[in-house]
Amino acid sequence: MAHLHFCICMLLAALVSYTTAQLIVNVRNKGGETVVEKILANTTADTVTLEFLNSDGSLVTQFIDFKSEVQIFRIYVLGEEELGSTKPQAMCFITRFLRNDFISSDAMSKLRQKNPTAIRTPEEEKEMSIHSLDLMVNLDKGHVLSPHVFNICSEATDGIFAQETDLRTISKSLAKDYITLISSTSELVPSKHPRCRDTSDIGRPCACELRTCIGWYPCGLKYCHGKDTGGRVVSYRCGIKTCKRCLSFVYVAKLKTKCLWDF
């Protein structure tokens, strides 16, 4: 019952938020099902939020903080009642954001759609992005990386995961000390643990993999060439390039039962 209640609440919340979304995109996944994405740009905060509800009931949020060059993925995964898990899990993954992988919040805010019911197909499928996450971020100190970490990840009781190399780079650009943010031990290194799907010991930590795909997103701007009134050749923005990218997050789960999808 808790499983069903959470699923209905998440679905209703998603549908309500879609009605106020700046951009709504219908994308067909590999299974032939249509996934509805909402994309919202905030030019004042210089952020972009992309959110969608998967057909398996998982709710995925991709949040980009352009000022801090931080990207946060929050994923709610429904419990498996037949395996004795009824509570949903919430995980947050913080990664470094590369500016050439998504259009700016200002450009995003100017996008308009002529046919919101159309099924969109990305022009390019990027290679899978694999993140081996060996650190856990302290929620109360996450604001050092981005002021949005607390609000987005406050329900991620199973952990806020990051990669040391990413935090080093982000912290250096922000002139911050990333060491104060984290819990860092060898126990958090995925390669030091067996894969959850390969271990029979449900009471020990294991390396868990969680995959998701962003089926459509504006990954760049298109420019055309023309002539101005004086006959000079000029370039101007004339559209966007769209991409798809799948992501793999590999991290240490406290117990095998915290990684039921990776069996």
Side-chain angles (χ1 to χ4, degrees):
M1 184 61 69
H3 176 109
L4 179 61
H5 176 73
F6 177 78
C7 184
I8 292 174
C9 289
M10 286 290 97
L11 178 58
L12 290 176
L15 290 177
V16 169
S17 58
Y18 287 150
T19 63
T20 60
Q22 174 192 313
L23 193 68
I24 297 173
V25 182
N26 302 291
V27 186
R28 187 153 291 154
N29 62 23
K30 288 186 177 181
E33 300 152 322
T34 300
V35 174
V36 182
E37 296 180 358
K38 66 160 187 174
I39 310 177
L40 181 66
N42 184 327
T43 54
T44 302
D46 201 9
T47 63
V48 167
T49 305
L50 185 154
E51 190 170 65
F52 59 93
L53 189 69
N54 269 320
S55 56
D56 63 3
S58 60
L59 181 64
V60 179
T61 301
Q62 177 187 16
F63 182 89
I64 300 171
D65 179 351
F66 287 85
K67 290 181 180 179
S68 299
E69 297 187 354
V70 166
Q71 189 169 220
I72 305 171
F73 290 89
R74 182 186 63 199
I75 304 178
Y76 289 96
V77 180
L78 296 181
E80 298 285 349
E81 288 188 347
E82 61 273 19
L83 296 176
S85 174
T86 57
K87 293 183 179 180
Q89 287 181 244
M91 282 79 64
C92 261
F93 307 107
I94 299 178
T95 70
R96 180 187 174 200
F97 172 65
L98 301 178
R99 287 183 174 270
N100 61 355
D101 199 38
F102 209 106
I103 65 173
S104 69
S105 62
D106 180 65
M108 188 71 231
S109 71
K110 293 179 171 61
L111 292 186
R112 298 294 180 266
Q113 52 192 151
K114 295 180 180 179
N115 184 3
T117 61
I119 303 298
R120 305 294 177 185
T121 303
E123 300 170 65
E124 178 184 342
E125 183 167 348
K126 301 264 189 183
E127 66 178 349
M128 177 174 284
S129 180
I130 300 174
H131 301 274
S132 182
L133 307 160
D134 52 6
L135 300 177
M136 287 186 69
V137 175
N138 185 323
L139 177 63
D140 294 329
K141 297 180 180 179
H143 63 274
V144 174
L145 286 175
S146 167
H148 308 281
V149 169
F150 188 89
N151 287 338
I152 296 172
C153 297
S154 59
E155 295 183 357
T157 56
D158 286 296
I160 304 171
F161 300 91
Q163 187 171 335
E164 182 176 4
T165 53
D166 279 350
L167 289 196
R168 283 184 181 275
T169 302
I170 295 168
S171 299
K172 184 177 181 180
S173 67
L174 297 174
K176 304 288 186 179
D177 179 10
Y178 84 96
I179 295 297
T180 61
L181 301 171
I182 61 174
S183 300
S184 177
T185 71
S186 61
E187 295 301 315
L188 295 174
V189 179
S191 61
K192 294 183 178 293
H193 297 270
R195 282 294 298 267
C196 290
R197 64 188 181 199
D198 297 329
T199 181
S200 58
D201 187 348
I202 63 173
R204 63 176 295 185
C206 52
C208 182
E209 181 183 28
L210 180 57
R211 292 189 178 189
T212 191
C213 291
I214 310 299
W216 185 100
Y217 68 96
C219 53
L221 299 174
K222 290 181 179 178
Y223 290 89
C224 297
H225 298 284
K227 293 185 178 181
D228 63 12
T229 55
R232 292 173 300 180
V233 176
V234 294
S235 63
Y236 59 94
R237 194 169 66 193
C238 57
I240 60 170
K241 177 183 177 182
T242 60
C243 295
K244 170 185 177 180
R245 186 189 291 279
C246 292
L247 304 106
S248 167
F249 299 104
V250 182
Y251 62 98
V252 176
K254 296 177 182 177
L255 304 169
K256 181 173 180 174
T257 52
K258 292 288 187 178
C259 186
L260 295 177
W261 56 85
D262 198 22
F263 283 10

